[in-house]
């Protein structure tokens, strides 16, 4: 799973990337940097940490997400509101976008457009994504219409696709995203190969100033209203403080957060929000050898989960011994949970729930 960090110049993308990866990629007060930063980070999960404490396994494998920063589009051209071709090429390959816009004020870091307006910034980037989609949809429609005139055996399917793309064109022309159209799963499958940008999950990140942490301001209210109108998930955080906190060692970090009266760093919340809005959940496998978190899509079946671990487990699937994390946590050990009757045997079609601990019985 890959999340692309995008946004206008000098909005704090690289700073956020550093906060996420505890890294120190070069940021700049002038912009114009073109390095691509890629980092794989662990998805913070208190349940996973508890399982590791319980089993003391030889190997520990948490769930991860990859973040990519610096995907082009940050040159002078972007300042005029044009994202470069390389930008679209890289963005197309990501599974979701984190769109960082700026609410922080800092005289030393002039906003490229000379004003602080996060809603306008978000809107302007999304408009460009919409425009790119509109062009892609129009190109595809031309091809399909040619195909329909040629009238072969799959004419009905072609006409069906034309109908879907026309609906998309109409929405995009009205500045609505592909997401907002609300296609059925079948319709989504029919358009998937076009890889439309506004079909992706977009998480909005409002990068607030150090002095705005924990405050509700007219700016955050306006942003909340904008996000809810279009159905975007959003989060406010101060990238600069998050990046500083990420540099502390765990003990210092705990003390710092306690002193600030904060339960956990905002970057953890942000990572979980990304995971969640990608429609992902975790199930666990446990033992003395390894405690591991596995990432699957919501609604996945037990046999799909088994296949994630190994294709043999899916092929020879018999049953999935299933124990919800909460039950194990309450009972204190696997055996105690078993005695209490918490352990269930589930079949192939069982929909795996977030936090299930699975042990797959199989035979090949
Ligand atoms: N005061 C303040 N400054 C910030 C914050 N986030 C980022 N900055 C500063 O803004 C400048 C630009 O930050 P970057 O993270 O490089 O921004 P960027 O979006 O990656 O910039 P480009 O890649 O050039 O588009 C740096 O000097 C940061 O220190 C913040 O929350 N508060
Ligand atoms: Mg940058």
């Amino acid at each position: 799973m890959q999340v692309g960090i995008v946004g206008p110049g000098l909005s704090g993308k690289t700073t956020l990337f550093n906060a996420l990866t505890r890294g120190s990629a070069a940021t700049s007060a002038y912009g114009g940097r073109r390095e691509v930063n890629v980092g794989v980070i662990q998805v913070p999960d208190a349940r996973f940490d508890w399982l590791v404490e319980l089993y003391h396994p030889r190997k520990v494998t948490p769930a991860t997400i990859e973040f990519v920063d610096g995907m082009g589009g940050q040159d002078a051209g972007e300042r005029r509101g044009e994202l470069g071709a390389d930008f679209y090429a890289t963005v197309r390959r990501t599974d979701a976008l984190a769109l960082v816009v700026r609410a922080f004020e800092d005289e030393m870091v002039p906003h490229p457009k000379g004003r602080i307006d996060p809603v306008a910034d978000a809107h302007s980037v999304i408009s460009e994504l919409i425009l790119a989609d509109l062009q892609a949809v129009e190109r595809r429609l031309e091809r399909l219409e040619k195909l329909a005139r040629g009238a072969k055996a799959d004419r009905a399917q072609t006409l069906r696709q034309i109908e879907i793309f026309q609906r998309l064109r109409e929405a995009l022309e009205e500045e609505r995203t592909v997401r907002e159209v609300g296609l059925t799963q079948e319709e989504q499958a029919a358009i998937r190969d076009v890889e439309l940008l506004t079909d992706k999950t977009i998480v909005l990140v409002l990068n607030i100033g150090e002095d705005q942490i924990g405050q509700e301001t007219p700016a955050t209210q306006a942003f909340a209203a904008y996000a809810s109108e279009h159905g975007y998930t959003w989060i406010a955080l101060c990238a600069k403080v998050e990046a500083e906190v990420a540099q502390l060692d765990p003990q210092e970090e705990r003390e710092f957060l306690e002193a600030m009266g904060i339960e956990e760093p905002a970057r953890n919340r942000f990572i979980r929000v990304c995971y969640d809005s990608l429609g992902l959940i975790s199930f666990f496998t446990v033992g003395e050898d390894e405690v591991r978190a596995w990432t699957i899509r919501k609604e996945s079946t037990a046999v799909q989960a088994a296949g994630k671990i190994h294709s043999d487990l899916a092929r020879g699937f018999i049953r999935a011994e299933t124990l919800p994390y909460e039950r194990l946590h309450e009972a204190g050990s696997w055996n105690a949970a078993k005695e209490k009757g918490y352990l269930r045997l589930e079949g192939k079609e069982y929909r795996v729930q977030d936090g299930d601990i699975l042990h797959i019985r199989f035979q090949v």
Side-chain angles (χ1 to χ4, degrees), residues 85-146:
D86 54 341
F87 173 82
Y88 294 110
T90 347
V91 161
R92 251 175 240 292
R93 270 178 261 132
T94 62
D95 300 293
L97 299 176
L99 170 48
V100 182
V101 292
R102 166 171 174 179
F104 72 87
E105 315 242 359
D106 190 335
E107 283 169 10
M108 303 302 289
V109 187
H111 188 293
K113 286 185 177 152
R115 51 102 184 103
I116 305 291
D117 189 343
V119 170
D121 282 350
H123 182 71
S124 127
V125 172
I126 290 170
S127 294
E128 295 206 41
L129 300 175
I130 286 176
L131 196 63
D133 278 353
L134 185 58
Q135 286 163 352
V137 163
E138 279 170 345
R139 275 197 303 273
R140 179 55 64 99
L141 269 172
E142 264 173 43
R143 251 176 62 196
L144 286 168
E145 275 155 7
K146 221 182 262 170

Side-chain angles (χ1 to χ4, degrees), residues 37-255:
N37 304 306
V38 182
V40 175
I41 59 115
Q42 301 182 359
V43 178
D45 187 339
R47 301 170 305 183
F48 182 81
D49 299 340
W50 188 83
L51 291 171
V52 170
E53 280 294 302
L54 182 66
Y55 283 93
H56 291 290
R58 278 181 283 278
K59 195 175 168 203
V60 170
T61 315
T64 58
I65 305 192
E66 188 171 289
F67 284 91
V68 188
D69 162 52
M71 305 198 286
Q74 290 131 299
D75 52 9
E78 197 265 336
R79 301 282 137 73
R80 296 195 308 271
E82 301 156 13
L83 302 169
D86 54 341
F87 173 82
Y88 294 110
T90 347
V91 161
R92 251 175 240 292
R93 270 178 261 132
T94 62
D95 300 293
L97 299 176
L99 170 48
V100 182
V101 292
R102 166 171 174 179
F104 72 87
E105 315 242 359
D106 190 335
E107 283 169 10
M108 303 302 289
V109 187
H111 188 293
K113 286 185 177 152
R115 51 102 184 103
I116 305 291
D117 189 343
V119 170
D121 282 350
H123 182 71
S124 127
V125 172
I126 290 170
S127 294
E128 295 206 41
L129 300 175
I130 286 176
L131 196 63
D133 278 353
L134 185 58
Q135 286 163 352
V137 163
E138 279 170 345
R139 275 197 303 273
R140 179 55 64 99
L141 269 172
E142 264 173 43
R143 251 176 62 196
L144 286 168
E145 275 155 7
K146 221 182 262 170
L147 216 67
R149 283 197 296 276
K152 289 252 168 54
D154 57 356
R155 192 182 155 84
Q157 201 203 337
T158 308
L159 291 178
R160 173 94 185 100
Q161 281 195 320
I162 289 178
E163 187 272 318
I164 301 170
F165 279 111
Q166 278 172 340
R167 221 168 350 124
L168 289 182
R169 179 171 62 190
E170 206 173 297
L172 292 162
E173 278 170 352
E174 290 166 1
E175 290 241 307
R176 283 187 294 139
T177 63
V178 174
R179 267 291 159 109
E180 284 178 79
V181 176
L183 296 179
T184 65
Q185 277 192 351
E186 182 228 329
E187 289 168 338
Q188 267 174 357
I191 63 152
R192 187 149 301 144
D193 67 309
V194 188
E195 296 188 305
L196 296 169
L197 300 171
T198 64
D199 197 17
K200 292 180 197 297
T201 300
I202 300 178
V203 176
L204 301 180
V205 182
L206 185 67
N207 187 12
I208 55 175
E210 299 83 317
D211 49 338
Q212 300 169 313
I213 294 176
Q215 284 178 29
E216 205 171 302
T217 63
T220 55
Q221 282 165 351
F223 202 72
Y226 170 75
S228 96
E229 184 189 338
H230 296 277
Y232 300 119
T233 311
W234 74 284
I235 183 169
L237 52 78
C238 175
K240 198 171 178 181
V241 167
E242 291 300 318
E244 281 161 10
V245 172
Q247 296 297 331
L248 302 173
D249 66 44
Q251 175 64 25
E252 286 174 332
E253 177 173 312
R254 251 192 314 277
E255 286 168 11

